[in-house]
Amino acid sequence: MSAVSLVALVGGTTVATAQESDPAPKSCDGVRLTGELPAPAPGQAVSGQITIGADCRPEPASVRGGPAPARSARAAAGHQLRGWNEMYDCCNIRMTGLYTSSSWDTADGRIPTADTTATQEWNREPWDAGWSLAGQTTKDGCVTDCAEVNSEAHADFTYQGIFDPTGDWYANTHHSYIQLKADGTATCRFDVELRHTFVGWNWRYGCE
Protein backbone atom coordinates (compact mmCIF):
# COMPACT_ATOMS: atom_id res chain seq x y z
CA MET A 1 0.00 0.00 0.00
CA SER A 2 1.55 3.26 -1.11
CA ALA A 3 1.59 6.46 0.91
CA VAL A 4 2.22 10.10 0.17
CA SER A 5 3.50 12.78 2.50
CA LEU A 6 1.84 16.11 3.17
CA VAL A 7 3.48 19.17 4.66
CA ALA A 8 1.49 22.39 5.02
CA LEU A 9 1.77 25.71 6.82
CA VAL A 10 -1.58 27.08 7.93
CA GLY A 11 -2.14 29.96 10.32
CA GLY A 12 1.28 29.62 11.89
CA THR A 13 0.78 25.87 12.39
CA THR A 14 2.95 23.28 10.64
CA VAL A 15 1.29 19.99 9.75
CA ALA A 16 3.06 16.86 8.55
CA THR A 17 1.34 13.57 7.83
CA ALA A 18 1.43 10.39 5.76
CA GLN A 19 -1.81 9.48 4.00
CA GLU A 20 -2.93 6.08 2.76
CA SER A 21 -3.66 5.72 -0.95
CA ASP A 22 -7.29 4.86 -0.17
CA PRO A 23 -9.15 8.10 -1.10
CA ALA A 24 -11.31 8.16 2.03
CA PRO A 25 -10.21 5.64 4.67
CA LYS A 26 -11.66 5.98 8.14
CA SER A 27 -8.48 4.89 9.88
CA CYS A 28 -5.47 6.94 8.86
CA ASP A 29 -1.70 6.60 8.95
CA GLY A 30 0.54 8.37 11.43
CA VAL A 31 0.37 12.12 11.84
CA ARG A 32 2.40 14.84 13.53
CA LEU A 33 0.90 18.25 14.31
CA THR A 34 2.66 21.35 15.60
CA GLY A 35 1.23 24.62 16.90
CA GLU A 36 2.75 27.75 18.43
CA LEU A 37 0.92 30.52 20.26
CA PRO A 38 2.02 33.72 22.00
CA ALA A 39 0.78 33.87 25.56
CA PRO A 40 -2.19 36.27 25.75
CA ALA A 41 -2.61 39.24 28.04
CA PRO A 42 -3.48 38.54 31.69
CA GLY A 43 -7.03 37.26 32.01
CA GLN A 44 -7.14 36.09 28.36
CA ALA A 45 -6.72 32.72 26.65
CA VAL A 46 -5.69 31.69 23.14
CA SER A 47 -6.23 28.25 21.62
CA GLY A 48 -5.99 26.32 18.38
CA GLN A 49 -7.67 23.25 16.93
CA ILE A 50 -6.92 20.92 14.01
CA THR A 51 -9.32 18.16 12.89
CA ILE A 52 -8.49 15.11 10.78
CA GLY A 53 -10.72 15.45 7.71
CA ALA A 54 -12.58 12.83 5.69
CA ASP A 55 -9.60 12.32 3.36
CA CYS A 56 -7.22 11.83 6.31
CA ARG A 57 -5.73 15.27 5.72
CA PRO A 58 -5.63 17.69 8.67
CA GLU A 59 -8.02 20.56 8.11
CA PRO A 60 -6.69 24.16 8.38
CA ALA A 61 -6.02 25.21 11.95
CA SER A 62 -8.57 27.42 13.68
CA VAL A 63 -7.18 29.82 16.29
CA ARG A 64 -9.26 31.90 18.65
CA GLY A 65 -8.88 34.04 21.75
CA GLY A 66 -11.11 35.21 24.56
CA PRO A 67 -11.43 35.54 28.34
CA ALA A 68 -9.67 32.88 30.38
CA PRO A 69 -11.53 30.87 33.02
CA ALA A 70 -11.31 32.49 36.44
CA ARG A 71 -9.09 29.67 37.71
CA SER A 72 -6.26 30.62 35.38
CA ALA A 73 -6.27 34.40 35.74
CA ARG A 74 -2.72 35.55 36.46
CA ALA A 75 -1.88 36.66 39.93
CA ALA A 76 -1.24 40.33 40.66
CA ALA A 77 2.24 39.49 41.97
CA GLY A 78 4.42 37.55 39.54
CA HIS A 79 3.26 35.85 36.36
CA GLN A 80 1.37 32.62 35.76
CA LEU A 81 0.77 30.61 32.61
CA ARG A 82 -1.19 27.43 31.94
CA GLY A 83 -0.76 25.38 28.76
CA TRP A 84 -2.76 22.46 27.42
CA ASN A 85 -2.29 19.95 24.60
CA GLU A 86 -5.18 17.48 24.14
CA MET A 87 -6.35 14.85 21.65
CA TYR A 88 -10.08 14.21 21.21
CA ASP A 89 -11.89 11.52 19.25
CA CYS A 90 -14.74 12.06 16.81
CA CYS A 91 -17.28 11.78 19.67
CA ASN A 92 -15.66 14.68 21.54
CA ILE A 93 -14.14 12.39 24.17
CA ARG A 94 -10.72 13.51 25.36
CA MET A 95 -8.35 10.59 24.86
CA THR A 96 -5.04 11.99 26.10
CA GLY A 97 -3.74 15.31 27.39
CA LEU A 98 -0.59 17.02 28.65
CA TYR A 99 -0.81 20.16 30.81
CA THR A 100 1.76 22.61 32.13
CA SER A 101 1.55 25.25 34.82
CA SER A 102 4.26 27.92 35.04
CA SER A 103 4.97 30.76 37.42
CA TRP A 104 7.82 33.28 37.33
CA ASP A 105 8.95 36.58 38.82
CA THR A 106 10.67 39.43 37.01
CA ALA A 107 13.04 42.10 38.31
CA ASP A 108 15.65 44.34 36.67
CA GLY A 109 15.31 42.64 33.31
CA ARG A 110 15.88 39.17 34.75
CA ILE A 111 13.84 36.24 36.04
CA PRO A 112 14.87 35.64 39.67
CA THR A 113 12.86 32.41 40.02
CA ALA A 114 10.64 30.25 37.83
CA ASP A 115 8.81 26.96 38.14
CA THR A 116 6.96 24.77 35.62
CA THR A 117 5.11 21.57 36.49
CA ALA A 118 3.49 19.07 34.14
CA THR A 119 0.49 16.77 34.58
CA GLN A 120 -1.12 14.19 32.32
CA GLU A 121 -4.66 12.88 31.90
CA TRP A 122 -6.06 10.02 29.82
CA ASN A 123 -9.34 8.23 29.19
CA ARG A 124 -10.05 4.78 30.57
CA GLU A 125 -12.83 2.42 29.53
CA PRO A 126 -15.15 0.81 32.13
CA TRP A 127 -13.71 -2.69 31.67
CA ASP A 128 -10.18 -1.73 32.79
CA ALA A 129 -9.02 -0.88 29.28
CA GLY A 130 -8.43 2.22 27.19
CA TRP A 131 -5.56 4.69 27.23
CA SER A 132 -2.59 4.38 29.58
CA LEU A 133 0.37 6.61 30.42
CA ALA A 134 3.48 4.80 29.18
CA GLY A 135 6.00 7.42 30.29
CA GLN A 136 6.63 11.10 30.90
CA THR A 137 9.63 13.41 31.18
CA THR A 138 10.24 17.07 31.96
CA LYS A 139 13.25 19.29 31.43
CA ASP A 140 13.98 22.82 32.63
CA GLY A 141 16.64 25.19 31.45
CA CYS A 142 17.70 28.03 33.71
CA VAL A 143 15.25 28.55 36.59
CA THR A 144 17.16 30.97 38.87
CA ASP A 145 18.44 34.42 37.85
CA CYS A 146 17.72 33.88 34.15
CA ALA A 147 17.46 36.04 31.05
CA GLU A 148 14.70 33.64 29.92
CA VAL A 149 13.40 30.25 30.97
CA ASN A 150 12.77 27.32 28.63
CA SER A 151 10.87 24.30 29.93
CA GLU A 152 9.60 21.23 28.11
CA ALA A 153 7.34 18.32 28.99
CA HIS A 154 6.67 15.06 27.15
CA ALA A 155 4.11 12.28 27.66
CA ASP A 156 3.71 8.93 25.90
CA PHE A 157 0.33 7.20 25.87
CA THR A 158 -0.67 3.76 24.60
CA TYR A 159 -4.09 2.30 23.91
CA GLN A 160 -5.52 -1.19 24.34
CA GLY A 161 -9.28 -1.56 24.40
CA ILE A 162 -12.45 -1.99 22.40
CA PHE A 163 -11.08 -0.30 19.27
CA ASP A 164 -7.82 -2.28 19.32
CA PRO A 165 -7.47 -5.28 21.67
CA THR A 166 -3.84 -5.85 20.59
CA GLY A 167 -2.49 -2.54 21.88
CA ASP A 168 -0.31 -2.17 18.79
CA TRP A 169 -2.30 0.27 16.65
CA TYR A 170 -2.85 3.55 18.56
CA ALA A 171 -0.28 5.58 20.50
CA ASN A 172 -0.19 9.32 21.23
CA THR A 173 2.90 11.29 22.23
CA HIS A 174 2.42 14.87 23.43
CA HIS A 175 5.12 17.55 23.70
CA SER A 176 4.88 21.00 25.29
CA TYR A 177 7.55 23.71 25.14
CA ILE A 178 7.17 26.86 27.25
CA GLN A 179 9.37 29.95 27.03
CA LEU A 180 9.12 32.51 29.83
CA LYS A 181 10.63 35.95 29.33
CA ALA A 182 11.91 38.64 31.67
CA ASP A 183 9.41 41.20 30.33
CA GLY A 184 6.53 39.03 31.56
CA THR A 185 5.61 37.64 28.13
CA ALA A 186 5.72 33.99 27.16
CA THR A 187 5.36 31.60 24.22
CA CYS A 188 3.68 28.20 24.10
CA ARG A 189 4.59 25.57 21.50
CA PHE A 190 3.02 22.14 21.22
CA ASP A 191 3.47 18.94 19.22
CA VAL A 192 1.53 15.70 19.09
CA GLU A 193 2.57 12.52 17.31
CA LEU A 194 -0.04 9.83 16.60
CA ARG A 195 0.91 6.32 15.56
CA HIS A 196 -2.45 6.09 13.79
CA THR A 197 -5.42 8.39 13.74
CA PHE A 198 -9.06 8.34 12.68
CA VAL A 199 -11.30 10.65 10.68
CA GLY A 200 -12.84 13.21 13.03
CA TRP A 201 -10.09 13.13 15.65
CA ASN A 202 -9.12 16.65 16.65
CA TRP A 203 -6.17 18.18 18.45
CA ARG A 204 -6.70 21.11 20.80
CA TYR A 205 -3.92 23.24 22.29
CA GLY A 206 -3.66 26.57 24.00
CA CYS A 207 -2.31 28.76 26.76
CA GLU A 208 -3.83 31.19 29.23
Side-chain angles (χ1 to χ4, degrees):
M1 179 169 56
S2 63
V4 296
S5 296
L6 166 71
V7 177
L9 181 64
V10 283
T13 298
T14 303
V15 177
T17 182
Q19 181 188 2
E20 294 179 354
S21 57
D22 184 339
K26 289 186 176 180
S27 183
C28 310
D29 282 348
V31 63
R32 180 176 182 267
L33 307 172
T34 298
E36 182 170 345
L37 299 167
Q44 299 292 304
V46 62
S47 62
Q49 179 172 323
I50 299 175
T51 300
I52 304 300
D55 59 356
C56 280
R57 292 175 180 267
E59 297 177 351
S62 61
V63 177
R64 63 181 182 179
R71 70 171 188 273
S72 62
R74 297 188 189 181
H79 307 274
Q80 296 181 357
L81 180 71
R82 177 180 178 267
W84 67 93
N85 173 358
E86 303 172 315
M87 203 69 212
Y88 285 77
D89 69 12
C90 55
C91 297
N92 205 36
I93 296 173
R94 183 192 59 187
M95 298 178 288
T96 53
L98 174 62
Y99 309 88
T100 58
S101 179
S102 302
S103 60
W104 74 106
D105 297 315
T106 59
D108 302 322
R110 303 283 292 179
I111 300 176
T113 59
D115 178 69
T116 295
T117 59
T119 56
Q120 310 81 28
E121 295 183 15
W122 56 96
N123 184 60
R124 296 292 293 170
E125 294 167 358
W127 37 87
D128 193 26
W131 289 94
S132 299
L133 179 66
Q136 63 84 27
T137 60
T138 58
K139 179 181 178 181
D140 293 313
C142 177
V143 294
T144 304
D145 189 24
C146 313
E148 65 180 29
V149 172
N150 292 280
S151 298
E152 57 187 75
H154 311 274
D156 297 307
F157 300 93
T158 56
Y159 175 86
Q160 186 173 16
I162 188 172
F163 297 103
D164 174 35
T166 71
D168 296 330
W169 192 251
Y170 297 110
N172 296 350
T173 299
H174 293 255
H175 310 279
S176 293
Y177 304 89
I178 305 298
Q179 183 180 69
L180 311 175
K181 301 179 182 179
D183 63 1
T185 63
T187 301
C188 307
R189 181 167 61 88
F190 309 98
D191 295 285
V192 67
E193 300 170 43
L194 314 175
R195 181 182 296 165
H196 290 92
T197 184
F198 203 85
V199 169
W201 281 21
N202 58 93
W203 181 50
R204 305 177 192 179
Y205 56 94
C207 53
E208 57 193 27

